[in-house]
Amino acid sequence: MARERWALGGDLSVARIGYGAMKLTGWPRGERPSRDTALAILRRAVELGVNHIDTSYYYARDGVAANELIREALHPYPDDLVIVTKVGALVEGSDLALPAAENTGLTPGNLRRAVEANLRSLGVDRLDVVNLRMGDLDRAGTPLTAPLETLLALREEGLIRHLGVSNVTAAEFAEAREIAPIACVQNLYNLAQRDDDALVDACAEAGIAYVPFFPVGGFQPITAARLDAVAARHGVSAPQVALAWLLARSPNILPIPGTGSLGHLEENVAAGELELSARDLAELGSPEAMV
């Protein structure tokens, strides 16, 4: 599986295991690696064949920004490196207290500023993929059409190559496809949280990548006796099994595990070589078995 690839947006060939840069900054909470370690992780990821890096202009804390680390470590970028970023509703901050219709991250002016901030901090003239992140509260009242049309206009200006959506429902995914070509969906999905099963399949049928964030559980790593048993049988870690399960689940799934550890990075990439048997998959079973 390590050699399997996906044509993101139809023309950007990426290895199925990517890298999420959020943990390099310790944002929004938690520890972060030293600057030297962060740079080494990014360079090592590329050496290991990772060519899909997920980031955002708001992955920044205490003067450490993911985009700037990526630029320092990897610019000038390899020809096949695909950097995916996101704009829109914030994950943390004052916007969370606002009604969905007043989320300032979704206004036309702030979307443009966010795109320009990503261009500037990454040091590129065009962003490979920009995900529109929708909000967390009052989902029924969250506008999608206007923000996506704003990004589509920026795409037509040549500032964006492909568009994706993040933190969306199945209905919003269908709505988004009526407005613009969608290259990927980035939502919460892993062994223990499978609410998006139908959406994964819908994306696969449409030839659209599904990029699960928190693929091994995020701030609360997945722990379960069945997961540990499968890992022990293969002589690997539980997170490696969780990643291998995602790869086996559907060919359009592109995990982006993040880490601040070189050792964990290498384990994550090595999970692409792990082949789960029918017995393994049966034992992992339903998400209830992971609780």
Side-chain angles (χ1 to χ4, degrees), residues 25 32 35 59-66 68-69:
T25 68
R32 62 170 174 259
R35 188 174 192 87
Y59 290 170
R61 198 183 87 188
D62 300 331
V64 178
E68 293 170 3
L69 290 170

Side-chain angles (χ1 to χ4, degrees), residues 1-290:
M1 288 185 181
R3 291 182 294 276
E4 289 185 358
R5 302 179 78 82
W6 180 267
L8 187 56
D11 62 353
L12 298 173
S13 178
V14 296
R16 288 190 62 199
I17 293 185
Y19 176 73
M22 185 178 75
K23 287 191 175 182
L24 295 181
T25 68
W27 183 94
R29 55 190 177 275
E31 297 181 0
R32 62 170 174 259
S34 69
R35 188 174 192 87
D36 287 346
T37 298
L39 297 174
I41 287 170
L42 289 164
R43 291 167 182 150
R44 182 60 176 153
V46 171
E47 289 174 357
L48 292 171
V50 171
N51 71 328
H52 170 200
I53 296 179
D54 178 81
T55 186
S56 174
Y57 76 104
Y58 56 69
Y59 290 170
R61 198 183 87 188
D62 300 331
V64 178
N67 283 0
E68 293 170 3
L69 290 170
I70 292 167
R71 182 175 183 175
E72 181 176 345
L74 301 174
H75 195 278
Y77 301 118
D79 291 340
D80 69 338
L81 183 64
V82 176
I83 301 176
V84 179
T85 190
K86 65 182 66 65
V87 298
L90 301 181
V91 177
E92 291 199 354
S94 59
D95 274 10
L96 286 182
L98 297 173
E102 298 176 23
N103 189 303
T104 61
L106 293 170
T107 64
N110 280 343
L111 287 170
R112 175 177 283 276
R113 279 187 284 274
V115 167
E116 291 173 347
N118 276 296
L119 289 166
R120 184 169 56 251
S121 56
L122 288 168
V124 296
D125 296 323
R126 181 174 67 168
L127 298 168
D128 293 324
V129 183
V130 173
N131 285 320
L132 172 65
R133 186 187 190 280
M134 300 307 293
D136 297 295
L137 304 177
D138 188 22
R139 297 309 304 275
T142 303
L144 181 143
T145 300
L148 195 53
E149 287 178 343
T150 296
L151 294 184
L152 184 60
L154 293 172
R155 178 177 179 266
E156 291 170 354
E157 289 181 30
L159 302 182
I160 301 170
R161 186 167 184 165
H162 294 297
L163 295 175
V165 288
S166 177
N167 209 36
V168 294
T169 64
E172 288 169 331
F173 168 67
E175 181 184 357
R177 293 189 67 203
E178 293 294 322
I179 300 167
I182 299 300
C184 55
V185 171
Q186 187 181 113
N187 273 11
L188 173 63
Y189 187 76
N190 55 47
L191 253 175
Q193 295 165 297
R194 307 184 201 174
D195 291 346
D196 264 9
D197 268 337
L199 184 51
V200 169
D201 295 336
C203 288
E205 184 177 350
I208 294 171
Y210 185 97
V211 183
F213 64 77
F214 292 163
V216 297
F219 297 114
Q220 296 179 320
I222 303 167
T223 57
R226 295 186 187 185
L227 179 60
D228 292 340
V230 172
R233 188 158 59 240
H234 286 275
V236 298
S237 68
Q240 285 177 298
V241 173
L243 290 171
W245 180 87
L246 286 168
L247 295 176
R249 168 65 179 82
S250 183
N252 68 318
I253 290 183
L254 309 179
I256 48 169
T259 180
S261 160
L262 277 166
H264 288 162
L265 168 69
E266 294 180 351
E267 287 185 3
N268 291 341
V269 175
E273 299 285 358
L274 177 58
E275 297 281 353
L276 298 180
S277 67
R279 175 190 174 190
D280 296 329
L281 296 172
E283 285 187 18
L284 294 171
S286 67
E288 289 76 16
M290 298 299 110

